[in-house]
Amino acid sequence: MHLFHPCCRSNSGCPGSEMPLMGEDPVTQWVNALQSHSLSLDGAWEFSLAGQSGSILTPGVWEAQGYARRVEGPAVYRRTLAVPADWQGMRVQLQFDALSYHVEARLNDVMVGEHTGMWTAFAFDVTDVIRPGLDNLLELTVYKPGERFPMRESLAGFLPDVCIPFGGIWGRARLSAFPGAALSDLWLLPDAGTGRVHVEAAAHGAQGMNAVVRLFDPAGREAAIWLGAVEAGAVHADLTVQMPRLWSPDDPALYTVELRLESGGAAQALLRRTFGFRTLSSDGDQLLYNGQPAILRGILNWGWYPETLCPAPDEAAIRDEFRRVRSLGYNLIKLCLVVPSPRYFEIADEEGMFLWLELPMWLPHVTERLEQQAPMEYADILARVHAHPSVVIYSLGCELDAEVNADLLSRLNGILRSRTSGVLACDNSGSGEAYGGLGFDFADFNDYHFYCDLHYFTPLVDHFRRDWRPPRPWIFGEFCDADDYRDLEEIAAASGGALPWWLIEKNPIHSLQVLGYPLQGERMRQLDTLGFSGQDLQHIARQQSFVIRKTILEKVRGRSGMGGYVVTGLRDTPLATSSMFDDLGRIKYDADAFRAFNAESVLVLEQGRRRLWKRGGDRPAPVDRFNLTAGTSVDYRIVLAHAGADLPGGDLRWRLLDGDGGAAARGVCPVEGPLVGGAPREIASFGFSAPEAAGEYALEVEFGALRNRWALWVYPAASALTASVAWHDPGGVLGDLGDGKDSALDLSRGGFAALTDHLLVTSAPDPAVIDYVRGGGRAILLQTGPGYLPALPRPFWRESIKLIYAHPVWEGFPHRGYADQQFYHLATDYALDSTALSAALPDLRAATPILRRLDARQFMLTDYLVELRVGEGVALASTLRFAGGAGDQVSGLSASPAGRHLLGQMVSYLSPGK
């Protein structure tokens, strides 16, 4: 009888076991494509869990319909197997391709083994307890991560945070019988540069046999052969392919290794496996794929497949996923803390989809058990996936903090590097320095997870970029999220009238104060005066998220040393709506428009740089690239970010289109070729005078097959402040006030006694200001942080949907009903607490929203711009940064055409006589 203890990988016996292990390799699946027999265990099993009995189909997982009813186990699977009589005398294995998380197996009431782990294949030797020719009772006792096996010690990855720690037989299972020799533990290490292939395998029952290893090219022709003896139960072979055909997304060329055991000239065992020649490497900070400059454009996959509740989509779903991902310009999928079924990797090999495999260590509680389990489980995962050419990047874990020590990471890094070839790797996706972990790393590239508002992205990149470090590429392991809005009525209608349980029940891992999705329906019903339907909100959210993705990705492509990125994420989940595909599987964006900035070669809009002299020294002077003042001169640079084959020169054509599609300006710029791949480069520059007619325009640029388009907004040259405006800015928050400053009444050092028929503009609302309004005054209350008006810290672009309400202040401020680049230099870190305004202003008669923030995770409202009727007066209150000043925003009102114009509209609306 065999008792497999999870800390063992040998047949020398287990600590604490009462019986010796039997079999040559009790945890590795044997293979023999010539002489083996198999009995599938897929299908119906008797099943019991938490006092309930019934049946269950495998592959699959058990999950009660709801978090509150989920049980970690024990779940008991039973099945009676009719084993063929001719299996008598054969070596028999009970094989599982994947099972979560811990199983104790009994055959005919005899314990045959136990296994711990979610992601890997394993086997038990049942030769001595199987009864050929008779019925055999197989019983499995299964636990998923929970109390007995704590989740954070179990390498359960991120799926428990997304929804559930799944449990059950989620891979294929079988009984396999071997009459003679068999093979296992095949390792392939191809070298694309030399054509050399190192092959290793374990040979069972092969004493005195010879081995023949053949390599076949993608056309099925023999490319190399090796003959030798089986020594010490193993095969070690080195072969060389002359001028190997390289695997790539455009040409996913797969070779085949065939390993055959022979005796007396007759074949006794056979194993085949496909592989490819490829190399992901770097030269300084330039990422190279097969020796050529490359840009990895990835999407984050958490392994959420609601149809299966485990990462085992069927073949049609996998191929459809790859097709749709490619349609958006992506060439890589990052498997974030998840190891999907083997077919996923095989199809990626066949279709030329790059994969980044992130091994499943997330927020671990590092105990002695985890320190023992992680090296074994990582080695088993790598044994399963290492030969797939589609896997070009590995990471050992995600956002690991000080809980994970250097010794453990060093051991895992050694396992990874000894078992892979032609790949890049990092120990900690997101970096230890960013998450309180190690101050050094075992990485081949820089990997950061910058989830930030648009205007903080460039400063973040500059902050983490250090020229005194050895150069290496940047590959953002995950970033660029942008929340969507779920239309629950639409989802319910598509789901037979009811929402799936994971959208209405609370995941115990997450606080409702962090993620309020289970309360969405209730909270949105309370906002009955919102004025937007679910479809309206969905449309606004998707338009806004498109702007966010485009802005961030173009910022990345315009910088040198950027090897790639992974955008969050693939599909909507119970945890997040930041994705390319919604809950109904639909692509959220126009694919052609998305590829314009997410492709091998893209055009990026840039400008020169400026500085200003302020308070006795030079300072950076950012320019608003997308908001223009009528009649001013504008100059642009077009940057080509290109990877791949050289591009020829030609003419770059640009057009400035008005709202009717007419050309307000146009031009042609000759571009010299050839244009080699690598660092981004300026290929053209042009300028024009901003049109006199205010409104929204579009700048279109074409170069060969490359196209891109940017919205521009032109505002009148009128001053924001006039002689009837009183300026109250004691803290100097507004900065310069443009041409109107000299004619405005400055109250920064005095009270309000001088006010008669003036409009008050203040950056410091206080009781005196409110008293002025209460008595019949008019005021613009600008508060960009904590202050007298109740305000809450909130990101502007992230986690929210901006709602623009019809109001006279928007006249002459063009918009399409969502926040676009007009708001880049207005974006703020605070929003007015709508629910607390009444308490702060007891005589508030009415509050009319103008620009609101709907929290996309909590479904609560705050205000960025609101009209307040207080006592006998009226005020416009706002937290917007009209003068910029945050991140890489402009500095000063005069440098902010959008801010200056919107403030001018507010002044005009409240001016006496209006």
Side-chain angles (χ1 to χ4, degrees), residues 429-464:
S429 185
S431 85
E433 64 178 350
Y435 289 91
L438 299 182
F440 62 94
D441 61 38
F442 300 98
D444 298 321
F445 54 93
N446 297 317
D447 176 357
Y448 299 107
H449 297 177
F450 291 161
Y451 291 113
C452 62
D453 267 2
L454 298 181
H455 48 292
Y456 291 117
F457 181 77
T458 296
L460 261 173
V461 174
D462 290 340
H463 176 67
F464 277 86

Side-chain angles (χ1 to χ4, degrees), residues 277-298:
F277 291 95
R278 55 90 179 94
T279 302
L280 185 67
S281 61
S282 64
D283 182 5
D285 66 1
Q286 177 63 61
L287 187 72
L288 302 173
Y289 183 72
N290 290 337
Q292 299 298 316
I295 178 73
L296 297 177
R297 307 176 303 279

Side-chain angles (χ1 to χ4, degrees), residues 189 195-200 213 215 224-227 235-241:
L189 296 176
R196 180 177 177 270
V197 182
H198 179 70
V199 180
E200 292 185 11
V213 182
L215 302 181
I225 186 172
W226 177 94
L227 296 89
V235 176
H236 298 269
D238 289 295
L239 303 90
T240 300
V241 175

Side-chain angles (χ1 to χ4, degrees), residues 547-586:
V547 172
I548 293 172
R549 315 279 198 188
K550 177 177 171 67
T551 302
I552 293 292
L553 295 189
E554 289 183 351
K555 284 174 178 282
V556 171
R557 296 303 299 274
R559 301 183 73 113
S560 65
M562 297 293 154
Y565 48 79
V566 176
V567 173
T568 304
L570 179 66
R571 64 186 300 171
D572 285 353
T573 73
L575 178 72
T577 59
S578 173
S579 67
M580 298 294 114
F581 309 143
D582 66 14
D583 292 286
L584 303 181
R586 300 171 301 192

Side-chain angles (χ1 to χ4, degrees), residues 683-708:
I683 61 171
S685 63
F686 55 85
F688 55 85
S689 292
E692 295 295 337
E696 180 178 342
Y697 292 78
L699 179 62
E700 290 187 347
V701 177
E702 299 181 4
F703 176 62
L706 304 181
R707 291 171 174 77
N708 208 342

